Amino acid sequence: MPSGKEMAMRIVAVALIGALLALAACAPTAQRRGARALDEQSQAPSAQAARWGYVGGKMVTRPDAAVKNTQDKAIYLNEHYSMTAYRIPVANGAYAVKLHFAETYEGIKDVGQRVFSVAIEGKTVLSDFDVFKEAGRERFAAVVKEFQVEVRDGELTIEFTPKVQNPEINGIELRAVHKGKPHGAALLINCGASADYEAKDGRIWRKDQEYQAP
């Protein structure tokens, strides 16, 4: 007959085995939850797509603009100008934001004729920004600016403040960031466009739309 000490050791061993089995059973569930959460994050930019959009401004298309510095000039043929913001409902977290610009307005012929600032989530990311100057004193030249931001209020907000002339933008790319790198599907907005557009790389740029407040 086992001693009291041996019985105690057996009880501890049985309890430990039971705990390990329970942990093993839970692991796949935890992995599935993690994968699902990551998948939800990767799809976050396109969530509530009916609501994202511009606030104010006007749209224009210049179909004959021969834009340089890009493999897909069609993105820059459409322009949204004089808007105050773009608002995009997303899950809270980190995001990579690319802003696409090209000066295609015939009224801009020199540095300083269109100057504006851009803030994302309340932080100024472009101050006294001059697309013409940034493109090397050229019209019809693409300029892309990329930033990583943190969203904590369920909505990514890009704000535009004019200084000279009106702010303008041609495209917005938004992707969730995981472990410091862009991850998953992107929301692509062709600012000023009246129809969706399939780029040469097969990605679909969404037509412009007005923001719908909740």
Side-chain angles (χ1 to χ4, degrees):
M1 183 174 180
S3 65
K5 183 177 181 180
E6 290 174 335
M7 286 295 294
M9 291 177 66
R10 288 181 182 180
I11 292 171
V12 171
V14 170
L16 181 59
I17 291 171
L20 290 172
L21 289 173
L23 183 61
C26 291
T29 300
Q31 290 172 357
R32 286 193 297 271
R33 286 176 180 168
R36 184 165 60 249
L38 187 58
D39 183 63
E40 288 172 354
Q41 184 187 31
S42 72
Q43 298 301 322
S46 58
Q48 305 182 62
R51 284 187 49 211
W52 65 258
Y54 60 82
V55 179
K58 298 180 180 180
M59 296 180 282
V60 64
T61 298
R62 300 185 177 96
D64 298 325
V67 180
K68 301 181 292 184
N69 300 343
T70 178
Q71 295 182 347
D72 212 327
K73 71 173 187 176
I75 298 167
Y76 301 91
L77 302 183
N78 304 295
E79 174 188 310
H80 201 115
Y81 66 95
S82 195
M83 63 283 154
T84 58
Y86 271 82
R87 298 186 181 277
I88 307 170
V90 293
N92 288 343
Y95 290 88
V97 182
K98 285 186 180 181
L99 305 179
H100 294 255
F101 305 93
E103 187 56 79
T104 61
Y105 174 47
E106 62 274 11
I108 304 299
K109 299 178 180 179
D110 203 354
V111 170
Q113 294 184 335
R114 186 198 301 275
V115 182
F116 58 95
S117 295
V118 181
I120 304 178
E121 288 300 281
K123 180 181 178 180
T124 299
V125 294
L126 294 172
S127 181
D128 290 344
F129 183 59
D130 185 328
V131 179
F132 183 88
K133 179 180 179 180
E134 192 73 16
R137 304 176 69 94
E138 287 190 84
R139 288 174 58 215
F140 309 115
V143 175
V144 181
K145 295 294 185 179
E146 184 170 2
F147 311 95
Q148 283 200 10
V149 299
E150 188 79 20
V151 175
R152 296 186 175 89
D153 60 357
E155 187 171 272
L156 188 142
T157 303
I158 305 170
E159 297 174 292
F160 301 84
T161 303
K163 184 174 183 179
V164 180
Q165 254 283 353
N166 297 305
E168 71 87 19
I169 191 166
N170 305 88
I172 299 171
E173 295 187 53
L174 178 63
R175 291 181 71 188
V177 171
H178 178 64
K179 294 183 178 179
K181 296 181 179 180
H183 171 85
L187 173 63
L188 309 175
I189 303 173
N190 193 186
C191 304
S194 59
D196 291 351
Y197 164 71
E198 183 175 356
K200 292 180 179 179
D201 59 9
R203 299 189 302 168
I204 303 298
W205 287 76
R206 301 287 300 278
K207 66 180 181 180
D208 215 352
Q209 62 183 36
E210 187 173 10
Y211 172 71
Q212 301 296 320

